[in-house]
Amino acid sequence: MTLQACLLLAFLLFAIGVYGILTRRNAIGILISMELMLNAANINFIAFAHFRALDATAGAVFSLFIIAVTACEMAIALAIAIAVYRRHGHLDVDELTELRDPDV
Amino acid sequence: MESLPLKDILFYLVAVVMVATALLTVVVKNILHSAVTLSATFFCTAVLYFLLSAEFLGVAQVMVYIGGVIVFVVFTILLTSRLGEYALEAGKLRKIAAAFFSMIIAVLAVVILRESHSSVALEQSDYATLAVIGKRLLSPGDDGFILPFEAISLLLLISLIGAVSIARVPRDDKNKEAE
């Protein structure tokens, strides 16, 4: 177990998350993929804290904050998903084009 | 250092399972299955945190993500989609393009990590115990995090109120539904 191995794992997870965000059409699916990417970032933080950092506790605390902010963000995002579903009857992001510039 | 091989084996095992479940999460058609495999990914991440000797984060990961976020996601899925009734799927072209793009990221990662030289690793082990994190989190001194801690508690409160007010049915709509 080396720093490189951990970072490679995090990068792979991030790439998988990117694939999910680009291919999912359900809004909740996009949120789930985003969680994967945030998780990858968190793994990076902990890996650097474990292997490299001068002040490792700060790194751990930082990723604790990331976890908290992610929880907040998920709460808001899922509330928005429920509101969108109530209004449109579906969560297909390809159909949600109200804010798009019609000329483009 | 004697226990390193076991740790290595465990790490690679966890890494393989994590990547596999993450892949399943983005590939699986049913969004509910996707949420379940995501919880497996989070559990593997918690194990990885334990391997990196960040015990408190591993516990927090299980509690917040698996106990909170995943449950929340599952509830939202149950509320918003008639299960299996419609499957939204991206076109083949988009899938290929997305796979190409994420492949670029993965290849870049491999290239960059091969270029980087690693110096001697520190391998700290007691940086994220409950006592250490608790002291740092709540100490008001220069190296403490009391201010961000309080700010995040405020943020949690605000976002919960916001979530409730976004998701609730507005009053005039409620009257309309009753009629």
Side-chain angles (χ1 to χ4, degrees):
Chain A
M1 186 166 61
T2 59
L3 179 61
Q4 261 91 351
C6 287
L7 294 185
L8 188 64
L9 175 64
F11 266 119
L12 279 180
L13 282 179
F14 190 86
I16 292 169
V18 167
Y19 175 80
I21 281 192
L22 291 176
T23 53
R24 284 283 183 210
R25 280 176 64 195
N26 191 323
I28 298 173
I30 293 178
L31 284 175
I32 286 175
S33 312
M34 208 170 62
E35 286 297 303
L36 274 180
M37 291 165 73
L38 283 163
N39 207 37
N42 246 346
I43 290 174
N44 260 358
F45 266 109
I46 299 297
F48 273 115
H50 181 62
F51 288 110
R52 229 7 108 66
L54 290 176
D55 185 1
T57 310
V61 169
F62 205 95
S63 73
L64 209 60
F65 283 143
I66 294 178
I67 290 177
V69 172
T70 311
C72 294
E73 165 248 315
M74 269 322 250
I76 295 286
L78 292 173
I80 291 174
I82 290 177
V84 166
Y85 183 77
R86 190 174 284 139
R87 191 183 170 87
H88 295 272
H90 62 79
L91 283 175
D92 185 356
V93 289
D94 283 7
E95 303 288 326
L96 299 173
T97 54
E98 283 174 1
L99 290 179
R100 188 159 76 186
D101 187 355
D103 297 331
V104 177
Chain B
M1 279 293 180
E2 291 86 50
S3 64
L4 208 72
L6 180 69
K7 224 176 167 185
D8 271 350
I9 292 168
L10 213 63
F11 171 75
Y12 287 114
L13 199 71
V14 165
V16 167
V17 174
M18 201 191 282
V19 170
T21 50
L23 268 177
L24 274 179
T25 303
V26 296
V27 167
V28 147
K29 273 197 185 111
N30 192 330
I31 204 85
L32 195 62
H33 297 170
S34 167
V36 173
T37 48
L38 181 69
S39 77
T41 313
F42 282 158
F43 187 76
C44 291
T45 314
V47 175
L48 180 66
Y49 288 165
F50 275 100
L51 285 176
L52 293 170
S53 52
E55 294 97 0
F56 184 62
L57 274 150
V59 175
Q61 173 90 7
V62 171
M63 278 190 343
V64 175
Y65 278 121
I66 301 177
V69 171
I70 293 285
V71 172
F72 207 20
V73 167
V74 167
F75 265 108
T76 314
I77 291 169
L78 294 179
L79 280 174
T80 56
S81 49
R82 293 157 295 238
L83 283 176
E85 208 173 294
Y86 71 104
L88 299 172
E89 238 197 306
K92 201 163 229 166
L93 188 68
R94 197 192 299 187
K95 270 185 184 167
I96 293 170
F100 178 71
F101 192 67
S102 57
M103 211 70 92
I104 287 178
I105 292 177
V107 170
L108 262 181
V110 173
V111 171
I112 290 169
L113 289 178
R114 189 174 284 178
E115 288 288 308
S116 70
H117 347 250
S118 75
S119 55
V120 183
L122 284 173
E123 296 233 19
Q124 301 166 77
S125 62
D126 57 346
Y127 65 97
T129 57
L130 195 54
V132 175
I133 282 202
K135 263 183 202 146
R136 275 304 282 279
L137 208 54
L138 293 177
S139 82
D142 273 348
D143 60 345
F145 289 93
I146 182 79
L147 209 60
F149 181 73
E150 295 296 340
I152 219 124
S153 66
L154 205 63
L155 180 70
L156 259 172
L157 179 68
I158 292 169
S159 67
L160 283 182
I161 295 173
V164 170
S165 74
I166 289 171
R168 93 197 158 105
V169 183
R171 187 158 288 152
D172 45 326
D173 282 15
K174 218 182 271 173
N175 291 339
K176 233 178 271 169
E177 272 171 27
E179 278 166 14

